[in-house]
Amino acid sequence: MGDTGTTTWAAFEAAEPALAATVRERFGRYTHHALATLRKDGSPRLSGIEADFRGGELWLGMMPNSRKALDLRRDPRFSLLANPGAGTDMGGGDVRISGRAVEVTDPEAVARYAAEAGAPLPFHLFRAEPAEVVRTWVDGEEICFTTWRPGRAPRTLRRGNDDAPPREDGA
């Protein structure tokens, strides 16, 4: 982890294998997900995207000069929400990864990724560096939030459908 407060996907997976497995499983249910980036004026942009877990990394590939790629080149902060699926069933909950997207510009590295992933060239390739991973799910009458950040143990908060304050698991 550098001074950016981010880490690699592999380091997150090593630190929190159960949460990482839940996140990967949730992203694996669907191909298309939602990516939030920041426009030039600072307003949010929400775009569809495919996320790829490969070689210990989380990858984001984008069409050449797409708005989301240009957003990330200007400001690498992002938030990625797994496709929630159809209807109102949460399907085990929502998962979100936020952090920084680092563009991979080395032609050999991009070509190697394209060959492994079967992705047509040209495209922008970004490696995601998570700064926060959040899982939200319903447990009985409570909504639960597990949040992880680099260098910290995950925290799980539970809230009921009343005005009682949230409570933390293990606290």
Side-chain angles (χ1 to χ4, degrees):
M1 179 177 82
D3 59 3
T4 61
T6 62
T7 190
T8 64
W9 178 261
F12 163 63
E13 226 169 12
E16 296 299 330
L19 181 57
T22 298
V23 170
R24 283 182 73 142
E25 187 277 328
R26 193 66 186 79
F27 271 98
R29 287 186 189 178
Y30 300 96
T31 302
H32 297 96
H33 307 288
L35 177 71
T37 59
L38 294 170
R39 298 173 191 254
K40 192 183 302 186
D41 67 3
S43 64
R45 182 187 315 273
L46 196 58
S47 308
I49 193 163
E50 296 179 18
D52 184 26
F53 296 90
R54 180 180 304 276
E57 300 287 358
L58 169 55
W59 300 98
L60 306 172
M62 300 164 207
M63 292 174 59
N65 297 313
S66 64
R67 296 288 184 194
K68 59 191 163 194
L70 298 177
D71 287 348
L72 290 174
R73 279 182 159 178
R74 186 178 47 262
D75 186 329
R77 293 176 294 172
F78 75 91
S79 194
L80 178 67
L81 177 70
N83 185 326
T88 59
D89 177 33
M90 287 183 70
D94 290 336
V95 294
R96 176 179 48 83
I97 301 167
S98 298
R100 297 174 59 84
V102 177
E103 187 167 16
V104 176
T105 57
D106 175 58
E108 289 179 21
V110 173
R112 186 172 45 255
Y113 175 87
E116 290 174 9
L121 291 166
F123 62 92
H124 295 284
L125 181 63
F126 293 86
R127 185 185 70 252
E129 293 184 348
E132 180 181 64
V133 177
V134 178
R135 177 181 180 225
T136 305
W137 76 101
V138 174
D139 183 12
E141 296 296 315
E142 296 179 312
I143 188 162
C144 305
F145 308 89
T146 296
T147 303
W148 174 88
R149 291 187 177 97
R152 301 182 192 168
R155 294 181 58 203
T156 299
L157 296 176
R158 296 172 174 270
R159 282 193 354 213
N161 206 12
D162 55 26
D163 61 356
R167 61 184 176 78
E168 185 171 350
D169 283 3

